[in-house]
Amino acid sequence: MARGPLIVRTVKNLDRATGKFREAGETLALVPTMGALHAGHLALVKRARRRAGRVAVSIFVNPAQFAPTEDFANYPRTFDADVAALQAEGVDLVWAPPREVMYPDGFATSVAVKGPAVADLEDRFRPHFFGGVATVVAKLFGQVRPDFAVFGEKDYQQLKTVTRMAADLDLKVNVIGVPTVREKDGLALSSRNVYLSPAERAAAPVLYRTLKDCAARIAAGEAIAVVMNEGSIAIEEAGFAVDYFEARNAETLRRAEKREDGPLRLLVAARIGKTRLIDNIAG
Ligand code: AMP
C-alpha cells in the first residue's frame, strides 16, 4: 500500500509542500473536489497522475456555491474514507482547508463570470453557483499554483466556465476535462446519488438513456426541437421534473437549433423527490 497523502490544512504548510515539489522540478496537478469521493473523482485523479509528477486533491465543501435552500449542511462528508481512497491512488497531497482559512473575516472579493456561466442552463436554477465556483477555484489555483487542474465533464457548464476563467485571468493553469464515469446502467456517478430512494434510483437511468436516444435521432437527421421536446416528456414520464433538457453548441453553449450549430452537447437537469441530477453527452 502506498504511503498516505500529506494532509494539509494551512496555507503555510501547503506552501512548504508545493515548494518542495517545485524545487525538485516536478509538475503538479490539482483535482478540486467537495469530498464524498467516488469512482468519478478517482478517474480525475488517475488522469492527473498521468499528466503530472505530483497530484494534489482539494476537499472543501464550498458554502459560496450553495443557495440557502440547498443541501450544504447535509452534503455527504466522508473524509477518512476519501483519504483512504486517495492513498490507494498514490495521491501526494490533500488540501483540506477549514472554512476560516478559505473565507477569513473580512473576505470581500468574488470572481464574476459570464460567457458559458450565463448560458441559461444551471445558472437559471442556481444563480449563485458559478460565482461561488469561480471564486473558490481561483483561490485554489492561487493557493496550490498547479500546472494542471482536472475537472469532470459531468459538470459540463462548470468545466467550460473554469476553462474560460483560467484563460481570461491568465492563471497559467492548464484545465483538463475528463469524461463522465457511469454506473453499469448509465447513471452518472454523483455524490448526490446517495439521496435517491430505491424507486428513484431505479428511475434515474432514464436521463442517460434519453440523452443517448436523442443524440442518435439528431445524428440521423431528425429536427432538434422535436427530438428534445419528446425526450423531455420521456424523462417527465419516468417521474422527474425537468429543469432543462437542451441541445447546445459544445464550445459556446449557445442554443443549437440545427445540426450545423454544433458540435452539439445535450444537457439535462431534472429533479426526482428531493434530489436534483444533471448529466450531458456529446451530440
Ligand atoms: P464535486 O466533488 O461533485 O464538486 O466534483 C468534483 C469534480 O469531480 C468535478 O470536476 C466533477 O465534474 C467531477 N465529477 C463528479 N462526478 C463525476 C463523474 N461521474 N465522472 C467524472 N467526473 C466527475
Side-chain angles (χ1 to χ4, degrees), residues 31-35 37-38 40-41 43-44 65 75 150-155 158 178-182 188-191:
V31 181
T33 81
M34 299 203 299
L37 301 183
H38 51 62
H41 299 109
L44 309 189
Q65 69 192 60
Y75 193 83
V150 186
F151 289 82
E153 288 183 355
K154 158 83 180 359
D155 300 273
Q158 169 175 283
V178 171
T180 302
V181 177
R182 301 176 178 283
L189 297 191
S190 164
S191 308

Side-chain angles (χ1 to χ4, degrees), residues 8-134:
V8 177
R9 299 182 191 277
T10 66
V11 173
K12 196 171 152 204
N13 287 343
L14 178 66
D15 284 345
R16 192 173 297 148
T18 57
K20 281 192 190 138
F21 300 156
R22 263 177 231 112
E23 273 163 35
E26 292 162 326
T27 52
L28 177 59
L30 172 67
V31 181
T33 81
M34 299 203 299
L37 301 183
H38 51 62
H41 299 109
L42 300 183
L44 309 189
V45 170
K46 289 184 171 82
R47 173 67 75 86
R49 267 259 75 98
R50 290 205 301 275
R51 277 312 285 264
R54 296 285 182 170
V55 175
V57 174
S58 60
I59 297 180
F60 181 65
V61 185
N62 177 32
Q65 69 192 60
F66 288 79
T69 52
E70 290 178 344
D71 55 347
F72 175 73
N74 299 325
Y75 193 83
R77 287 163 172 86
T78 59
F79 189 77
D80 293 346
D82 292 349
V83 171
L86 297 176
Q87 171 166 355
E89 295 296 337
V91 165
D92 299 285
L93 184 103
V94 173
W95 171 226
R99 186 175 175 153
E100 59 277 14
V101 168
M102 272 310 207
Y103 300 112
D105 278 349
F107 184 86
T109 302
S110 61
V111 178
V113 275
K114 290 191 180 153
V118 294
D120 199 30
L121 291 164
E122 282 303 285
D123 51 301
R124 193 188 329 159
F125 299 90
R126 308 181 75 191
H128 302 270
F129 184 69
F130 290 115
V133 167

Side-chain angles (χ1 to χ4, degrees), residues 47-263:
R47 173 67 75 86
R49 267 259 75 98
R50 290 205 301 275
R51 277 312 285 264
R54 296 285 182 170
V55 175
V57 174
S58 60
I59 297 180
F60 181 65
V61 185
N62 177 32
Q65 69 192 60
F66 288 79
T69 52
E70 290 178 344
D71 55 347
F72 175 73
N74 299 325
Y75 193 83
R77 287 163 172 86
T78 59
F79 189 77
D80 293 346
D82 292 349
V83 171
L86 297 176
Q87 171 166 355
E89 295 296 337
V91 165
D92 299 285
L93 184 103
V94 173
W95 171 226
R99 186 175 175 153
E100 59 277 14
V101 168
M102 272 310 207
Y103 300 112
D105 278 349
F107 184 86
T109 302
S110 61
V111 178
V113 275
K114 290 191 180 153
V118 294
D120 199 30
L121 291 164
E122 282 303 285
D123 51 301
R124 193 188 329 159
F125 299 90
R126 308 181 75 191
H128 302 270
F129 184 69
F130 290 115
V133 167
T135 301
V136 83
V137 170
K139 283 180 68 74
L140 289 169
F141 286 3
Q143 291 162 339
V144 178
R145 288 187 285 141
D147 302 286
F148 305 95
V150 186
F151 289 82
E153 288 183 355
K154 158 83 180 359
D155 300 273
Y156 195 79
Q157 193 180 3
Q158 169 175 283
L159 171 63
K160 293 294 162 192
T161 298
V162 169
T163 303
R164 185 80 243 174
M165 176 186 73
D168 288 350
L169 299 183
D170 299 303
L171 299 182
K172 311 281 169 69
V173 178
N174 184 345
V175 176
I176 299 168
V178 171
T180 302
V181 177
R182 301 176 178 283
E183 302 281 4
K184 280 203 179 64
D185 60 12
L187 175 64
L189 297 191
S190 164
S191 308
R192 290 190 166 101
N193 290 351
V194 298
Y195 301 150
L196 296 169
S197 71
E200 291 163 356
R201 174 65 188 81
V206 73
L207 299 181
Y208 182 58
R209 211 166 47 233
T210 309
L211 285 167
K212 293 239 298 187
D213 178 50
C214 290
R217 289 175 60 188
I218 292 167
E222 287 191 57
I224 289 181
V226 173
V227 169
M228 296 307 284
N229 186 42
E230 289 178 12
S232 185
I233 291 168
I235 293 170
E236 298 240 335
E237 280 173 351
F240 280 87
V242 173
D243 280 352
Y244 58 81
F245 183 71
E246 296 202 24
R248 295 295 184 99
N249 177 282
E251 288 312 313
T252 62
L253 296 185
R254 287 202 197 100
R255 286 198 167 73
E257 274 146 31
K258 46 194 188 317
R259 262 201 300 168
E260 296 68 45
D261 294 336

